[in-house]
Amino acid sequence: MKKISFFKLIALVLTTVCLLTAAVYVLRLDRQITSRFEGRRWELPARIYARPLELYLGKILSSDNLEKELLQLRYSRVKSTKKPGEYSVQGDRITIYSRNFSFPDIQQPATAIELEIRDKTITHLVDHSSGKQLTLFQLEPVQYASIYPTHNEDRLLVKPEDVPELLIKSLLLVEDKNFYSHWGVRPTAIIRAALANLRAGKTVQGGSTLTQQLVKNIFLSSEQTLLRKMNEAVMALLLEYHYSKDEIMEAYLNEVYLGQDGKRAIHGFAMASRFYYERDLAELEPAQIALLVGIVKGASYYNPRRHPERAKIRRNQVLDILVSAKAISPEISKQLQNSPLTVSRETPSGITPYPAFLELVRKQLKRDYKDEDLRSEGLSIFTTLDPIIQQQAEKSLGNELAAIEKRTGDKARNTLQGSLIIASVDQGEVVALVGDRTPGLAGFNRAMDMKRPIGSVVKPAVYLTALTRPESYNLLTTLHDTPLTVPMSGKDWQPENYDKQYHGPLPLIQALAHSYNVATVQLGMDLGLSAVIDTLQGLGIEEDIAAYPSLLLGAIELPPIDVLQMYQTIAAGGYKTPLRSILAVTDQENNTLQRYPLTVEQVADPGAVFCLTTALQAATTTGTAKSLKYLLPEGLTVAGKTGTTDQLRDSWFAGFSGRHVAVAWVGRDDNKPTGLTGSSGALRVWAATMAGISTTPLQPQAPDNIDWYYADLSAGKILSPQCGKEQESLLPFIRGGLLPEAGSCQKQRNDNSFEQKLQRGINNILDFLH
């Protein structure tokens, strides 16, 4: 047997050790690759959408508001629609080519529709291709926020079959012609690049394949070292061994780095298309595709917003390559090279324009989802936000606060603050929320986080408590607005009216409409504080409420969103629907993970609430909110209540139309007096918003247990039907309940004397001037 020399033995051992080490090292790299590719490849942000705009015959919608929605969706107005993301207008007729979109559990294909809007109403709605009438069509919703992964990478996943053919062809021609034939590395290209770099004394040429670029982007750093290049080559070979070319191409299309927005990194062509052009990938023109492919070489260096000339040269180089490969004609290339970059002027921000509403959404999401899931699972969250109403609410709050400061001569401008929150009456869906007069700034959210005394907006709960006892109370029950002393431990309390006057005996409806404090306290004490607290909690107030007499005048601190819940229940006829901001949540595959269905609970007698609503309507026509007659469009009937706190620190208005319920607050963060009542401050914000949105008049339907009687308000008596032709006070009463004493018609005729009418006319003029 031939002996092996000692040195050969050492060499054999060392070789074996090296091979084993290399094998272990390669196996570690292999495990690193497979673990990433077999599991979840990317952490994807959650995307948060507004409500989809529903189109149907008879829908109240102005052409201006429809165009506002389309512009938020980044649609292009053209002469003739030819592809998704475009719309055209010809007189009253609007043609929209919608985009493909994944709604919960349903995929809606791109569809061209045609509609007509006349007198702010949709009168015609058909499929543009077939002419078939459509019952309902949903535009894709506006995405207004994202919840990003901790590493702040933003991407939209796309499959190769959904990518324009020209983009993939351009990418291969520019970056890796032999992608579908090599095994992940090209030794000749590496050698050629190394020689070129050596001659230049710096890196001037790369020899990486798309596979190597993908490996570098996902697994490695960008440092130029021999070890890093060796790892890159080995991992590229392993990646090609395990996965098909199409899988690698898909990963590359979604991984490649293409830009930066502050801390947000833009990855993948689909997100880059949104980032640079505010368009879906399928909507891009050839020149736009050439630019995206061109900036793969260096997203920062060829940033088209910061270095437009440099980016244009690079785009044109790509177009030249396409001509050389006969992918486009020289004539088309010349035309495209002379065209502008068409990059959107402003960078689409990753920061939400509606931070206050987003806070509400995130608060409700936390009940069901972990923060890490929201940051990584690529969830789609469909919310109740109405962008049209949200923008009107923001505009109204800012404009009205500025107008109030100008009108009152406030030298310290911009010191007033405010909040406004709006929901649908029937569904309890929050459609708009403004927490600051500068709404785009994230910070203190006054609609949700601020607690302030609510003043007289609490009074409907007191009067509802009374009206739920129809055997004792009705709208004409006499209350006493006379001096009152409430015994207290320590110093007794003597409530006062805002005008420092007493108004003697008067019917319940007028006591509420004119917001008389003394009459309200007398009524509340007769009813019992615990009964009023029970009513408040039944209406949706979850805060603990101390049983002090001052609560009857709103000496309880609540955030506006809690007041909104209370008034939503009243507006819905005593049926409480918990306020909600989320409709559904879906995963990456568009499977519905959770729906947030409507829940309704009857918490008050509908008859009593109907009577209360009548009194709140009176407040807006003859009471403390009667200035609404001059601030709202003609015919828009509403109900509501003003609220003012001690020393005029807080100004409130809460009320509802037929479709929407809203709460406005105006005050100062330092809690100093504003000099504003509910009617001179918050009411104006509320009215400007309601006047600017598509809503409906309040026309409540009387429950079955309601009877109607003509009434003499000044006398607190009901009248015979024969008197009805000469006056307008027709009031509801709960059947079987206590009825007021019947009166004669003579008193009513006196109330409508020339002197009475003249005085009412003078009062109306004074209201208007105020």
Side-chain angles (χ1 to χ4, degrees):
M1 182 176 179
K2 189 174 180 180
K3 293 184 178 179
I4 300 176
S5 69
F6 174 75
F7 293 105
K8 287 184 178 181
L9 181 62
I10 293 297
L12 181 61
V13 171
L14 289 176
T15 301
T16 303
V17 170
C18 289
L19 288 173
L20 287 172
T21 302
V24 171
Y25 187 69
V26 170
L27 285 172
R28 185 176 68 82
L29 295 178
D30 186 72
R31 191 178 302 113
Q32 189 176 349
I33 287 173
T34 55
S35 63
R36 175 66 180 269
F37 269 72
E38 296 298 334
R40 189 181 64 201
R41 296 183 184 179
W42 295 284
E43 290 185 348
L44 299 174
R47 305 198 183 280
I48 303 177
Y49 296 94
R51 59 90 189 97
L53 180 61
E54 293 185 340
L55 306 175
Y56 52 86
L57 290 177
K59 180 182 178 69
I60 299 173
L61 178 68
S62 69
S63 297
D64 287 343
N65 281 340
L66 176 57
E67 284 208 65
K68 286 179 183 178
E69 183 96 8
L70 292 171
L71 290 174
Q72 284 202 69
L73 288 165
R74 310 303 180 189
Y75 274 61
S76 299
R77 181 168 177 170
V78 296
K79 291 184 178 180
S80 177
T81 55
K82 297 179 180 178
K83 61 183 181 180
E86 294 181 342
Y87 75 100
S88 62
V89 180
Q90 293 181 333
D92 294 331
R93 183 158 296 194
I94 302 172
T95 303
I96 304 170
Y97 204 142
S98 73
R99 299 185 179 104
N100 174 62
F101 189 80
S102 298
F103 289 98
D105 291 331
I106 187 170
Q107 184 75 24
Q108 179 172 285
T111 307
I113 64 166
E114 187 180 284
L115 68 153
E116 285 185 11
I117 296 179
R118 295 182 180 178
D119 297 327
K120 297 183 178 180
T121 304
I122 297 178
T123 58
H124 176 75
L125 180 64
V126 298
D127 185 291
H128 184 63
S129 300
S130 66
K132 182 180 178 181
Q133 182 170 309
L134 299 173
T135 305
L136 173 70
F137 188 83
Q138 287 186 322
L139 284 178
E140 67 270 25
V142 174
Q143 183 195 330
Y144 65 91
S146 296
I147 302 175
Y148 295 107
T150 52
H151 50 61
N152 285 315
E153 291 183 1
D154 196 5
R155 58 170 53 81
L156 282 170
L157 295 188
V158 66
K159 295 184 180 297
E161 57 265 28
D162 297 325
V163 175
E165 184 180 344
L166 183 62
L167 190 149
I168 294 179
K169 182 180 290 186
S170 303
L171 182 64
L172 294 176
L173 287 171
V174 173
E175 293 293 330
D176 193 351
K177 294 180 182 178
N178 302 310
F179 172 72
Y180 281 99
S181 60
H182 62 63
W183 289 0
V185 295
R186 287 181 296 162
T188 55
I190 295 174
I191 294 170
R192 183 173 64 251
L195 291 174
N197 296 339
L198 187 62
R199 283 194 296 269
K202 60 181 180 179
T203 301
V204 295
Q205 192 176 118
S208 298
T209 64
L210 286 184
T211 312
Q212 288 174 277
Q213 292 180 39
L214 179 61
V215 166
K216 182 182 70 174
N217 289 338
I218 294 180
F219 301 104
L220 305 173
S221 68
S222 58
E223 61 179 346
Q224 298 291 329
T225 65
L226 180 60
L227 178 60
R228 203 273 296 166
K229 293 296 289 183
M230 288 175 58
N231 284 341
E232 179 186 295
V234 173
M235 295 179 84
L237 289 168
L238 291 169
L239 196 62
E240 293 270 355
Y241 173 76
H242 285 291
Y243 303 101
S244 70
K245 289 290 186 179
D246 287 344
E247 288 177 300
I248 294 171
M249 174 59 75
E250 180 178 342
Y252 185 92
L253 293 170
N254 290 302
E255 175 59 33
V256 62
Y257 171 72
L258 292 170
Q260 194 75 30
D261 174 32
K263 293 182 179 181
R264 181 173 65 125
I266 307 301
H267 285 262
F269 284 100
M271 179 52 66
S273 178
R274 295 272 186 93
F275 182 66
Y276 291 112
Y277 298 111
E278 300 186 86
R279 298 284 183 272
D280 285 348
L281 202 53
E283 299 171 27
L284 296 187
E285 302 291 343
Q288 296 170 328
I289 289 173
L291 176 62
L292 292 188
V293 171
I295 63 179
V296 169
K297 187 176 182 180
S300 179
Y301 186 79
Y302 294 109
N303 185 327
R305 292 193 179 95
R306 300 177 65 182
H307 309 294
E309 291 303 320
R310 192 184 291 170
K312 190 172 184 180
I313 291 171
R314 178 59 181 161
R315 180 201 68 180
N316 292 348
Q317 289 173 349
V318 174
L319 291 172
D320 286 336
I321 292 173
L322 292 177
V323 171
S324 300
K326 298 182 179 180
I328 59 174
S329 69
E331 294 77 19
I332 291 177
S333 176
K334 183 177 180 180
Q335 181 182 351
L336 295 178
Q337 291 192 30
N338 291 327
S339 66
L341 291 177
T342 68
V343 172
S344 61
R345 186 171 301 176
E346 295 184 5
T347 302
S349 175
I351 300 173
T352 178
Y354 310 127
F357 198 97
L358 179 60
E359 182 182 336
L360 174 63
V361 172
R362 296 196 67 158
K363 181 179 180 181
Q364 295 189 358
L365 282 172
K366 283 182 179 179
R367 302 172 189 168
D368 304 306
Y369 297 93
K370 298 177 181 177
D371 191 60
E372 61 194 69
D373 293 335
L374 295 174
R375 292 182 177 275
S376 63
E377 295 293 339
L379 304 180
S380 291
I381 299 158
F382 297 89
T383 73
T384 58
L385 173 74
D386 187 317
I388 296 173
I389 296 179
Q390 176 71 30
Q391 290 183 348
Q392 180 61 49
E394 293 177 357
K395 177 182 176 182
S396 298
L397 180 62
N399 288 352
E400 290 303 317
L401 291 186
I404 290 169
E405 289 171 336
K406 183 177 180 179
R407 186 173 66 248
T408 58
D410 192 339
K411 296 180 180 179
R413 295 288 173 89
N414 297 318
T415 58
L416 278 181
Q417 267 296 353
S419 70
L420 181 62
I421 182 167
I422 308 169
S424 62
V425 169
D426 294 334
Q427 306 289 318
E429 295 174 355
V430 181
V431 295
L433 188 151
V434 189
D436 193 291
R437 70 184 294 171
T438 309
L441 297 179
F444 185 50
N445 187 345
R446 292 163 190 81
M448 292 177 58
D449 303 328
M450 173 197 74
K451 290 186 177 182
R452 299 291 281 260
I454 65 173
S456 293
V457 294
V458 78
K459 288 178 181 176
V462 180
Y463 288 82
L464 179 59
T465 306
L467 292 168
T468 54
R469 303 177 185 181
E471 71 282 358
S472 302
Y473 295 95
N474 56 56
L475 290 177
L476 290 183
T477 297
T478 299
L479 301 184
H480 297 279
D481 193 64
T482 54
L484 174 67
T485 299
V486 180
M488 302 280 288
S489 56
K491 186 178 180 181
D492 292 343
W493 180 41
Q494 294 181 316
E496 295 181 333
N497 289 317
Y498 174 74
D499 61 3
K500 307 299 182 183
Q501 303 293 318
Y502 296 101
H503 304 275
L506 76 167
L508 181 148
I509 187 174
Q510 290 199 357
L512 177 56
H514 294 280
S515 198
Y516 293 140
N517 291 338
V518 181
T520 302
V521 173
Q522 180 68 71
L523 174 63
M525 296 305 292
D526 290 344
L527 295 168
L529 296 177
S530 61
V532 175
I533 291 173
D534 287 344
T535 299
L536 281 166
Q537 292 176 337
L539 292 173
I541 303 302
E542 296 180 353
E543 299 273 345
D544 291 333
I545 301 173
Y548 294 111
S550 57
L551 82 86
L552 300 170
L553 301 183
I556 53 175
E557 295 186 348
L558 296 173
I561 194 169
D562 285 8
V563 179
L564 183 71
Q565 179 68 78
M566 169 182 165
Y567 275 77
Q568 183 279 326
T569 308
I570 295 171
Y575 293 88
K576 182 177 73 174
T577 299
L579 298 177
R580 57 186 178 138
S581 63
I582 306 172
L583 299 173
V585 178
T586 62
D587 63 14
Q588 293 181 46
E589 305 301 323
N590 201 37
N591 299 309
T592 299
L593 301 179
Q594 190 159 3
R595 289 189 181 275
Y596 292 79
L598 177 70
T599 59
V600 179
E601 178 188 3
Q602 182 179 341
V603 296
D605 174 61
V609 175
F610 184 81
C611 293
L612 173 68
T613 299
T614 301
L616 293 176
Q617 285 182 283
T620 68
T621 56
T622 61
T624 57
K626 58 189 173 185
S627 60
L628 285 172
K629 291 184 293 185
Y630 314 108
L631 299 174
L632 294 177
E634 185 177 357
L636 181 56
T637 52
V638 297
K641 185 70 190 73
T642 55
T644 310
T645 61
D646 289 346
Q647 300 181 38
L648 306 182
R649 297 178 189 273
D650 301 278
S651 170
W652 292 85
F653 189 79
F656 45 95
S657 65
R659 188 187 300 174
H660 297 103
V661 54
V663 173
W665 169 87
V666 173
R668 299 188 192 277
D669 287 341
D670 60 11
N671 203 29
K672 290 182 179 179
T674 63
L676 301 172
T677 63
S679 59
S680 62
L683 178 144
R684 293 179 175 271
V685 174
W686 190 95
T689 303
M690 283 293 186
I693 67 175
S694 295
T695 191
T696 55
L698 176 62
Q699 297 173 331
Q701 297 298 309
D704 293 338
N705 64 338
I706 289 294
D707 289 328
W708 294 90
Y709 291 89
Y710 290 104
D712 178 354
L713 294 182
S714 61
K717 296 179 180 181
I718 58 175
L719 301 170
S720 67
Q722 289 81 0
C723 302
K725 295 180 181 179
E726 300 184 23
Q727 51 76 50
E728 300 176 353
S729 297
L730 188 63
L731 294 182
F733 294 83
I734 296 177
R735 186 176 303 132
L738 177 70
L739 283 178
E741 179 184 348
S744 67
C745 301
Q746 185 61 40
K747 174 62 178 174
Q748 182 63 27
R749 292 193 186 99
N750 291 339
D751 282 348
N752 279 299
S753 65
F754 174 78
E755 291 79 7
Q756 292 282 349
K757 292 179 179 177
L758 177 63
Q759 185 61 51
R760 287 197 295 270
I762 293 172
N763 289 340
N764 287 338
I765 293 172
L766 292 174
D767 291 339
F768 176 75
L769 293 175
H770 175 70

